Amino acid sequence: MAAIKLTVNGKPVSVDVEDRTLLVHLLRDHLGLTGTHVGCDTSQCGACTVHIDGRAVKSCTVLVGQANGRSITTIEGIANGDELHPMQAAFRDNHGLQCGFCTPGMIMASIDIVRRHGRELTEDVLRQELEGNICRCTGYHNIVKSVLDAAGRMTTAQAAE
């Protein structure tokens, strides 16, 4: 057992768990943050994507010992109170989801993609970047539409800050 100290969605967290515990299981089983999904157990689907220190990672590939002392953001931590994050709003407005299982991971990965590419993000680049996130329902058309819409919203929101 190890004392793991993290900041999760802006709040300090201290948990005693085995170092070999996967971050996804810490989030879901110990902290009750069930928006981070376990979809494949092989790191292929991206349903478990969260941000560690602002970068998207598949939490099923990270041991809690590796995340010790770091800042974790999950889907539950991106809205500002009742105000959705621009990516969440764009997914809602463009129907970028069907069953919703992949949606949290898609949103978290997409936020990172937009942050890295900004106004230079093209549909081709986006489709390449999303290859690590699997959606079994939509065929990606509305997901791509949502992310490109959110990219404009995010750059507009960042310019206003």
Side-chain angles (χ1 to χ4, degrees), residues 132-161:
N133 290 73
I134 297 173
C135 176
R136 292 171 175 90
C137 297
T138 69
Y140 299 91
H141 176 75
N142 286 343
I143 292 170
V144 169
K145 184 177 171 184
S146 299
V147 177
L148 293 175
D149 178 17
R153 296 180 192 203
M154 288 172 66
T155 54
T156 301
Q158 290 167 347
E161 292 177 353

Side-chain angles (χ1 to χ4, degrees), residues 93-104:
D93 296 347
N94 294 285
H95 197 66
L97 58 112
Q98 283 186 13
C99 82
F101 189 82
C102 73
T103 305

Side-chain angles (χ1 to χ4, degrees), residues 98-149:
Q98 283 186 13
C99 82
F101 189 82
C102 73
T103 305
M106 285 283 185
I107 287 174
M108 297 305 288
S110 296
I111 291 169
D112 183 60
I113 292 166
V114 171
R115 283 186 182 152
R116 286 185 289 110
H117 292 280
R119 294 187 185 274
E120 304 300 315
L121 182 62
T122 65
E123 183 175 335
D124 288 340
V125 169
L126 175 58
R127 286 183 181 275
Q128 286 176 332
E129 293 253 2
L130 283 177
E131 281 185 4
N133 290 73
I134 297 173
C135 176
R136 292 171 175 90
C137 297
T138 69
Y140 299 91
H141 176 75
N142 286 343
I143 292 170
V144 169
K145 184 177 171 184
S146 299
V147 177
L148 293 175
D149 178 17

Side-chain angles (χ1 to χ4, degrees), residues 3-7 13 52-53 64-72:
I4 302 298
K5 295 181 189 256
L6 308 163
T7 300
V13 173
I52 297 179
D53 295 334
V64 293
Q66 294 172 293
N68 196 19
R70 304 191 59 197
S71 178
I72 312 299

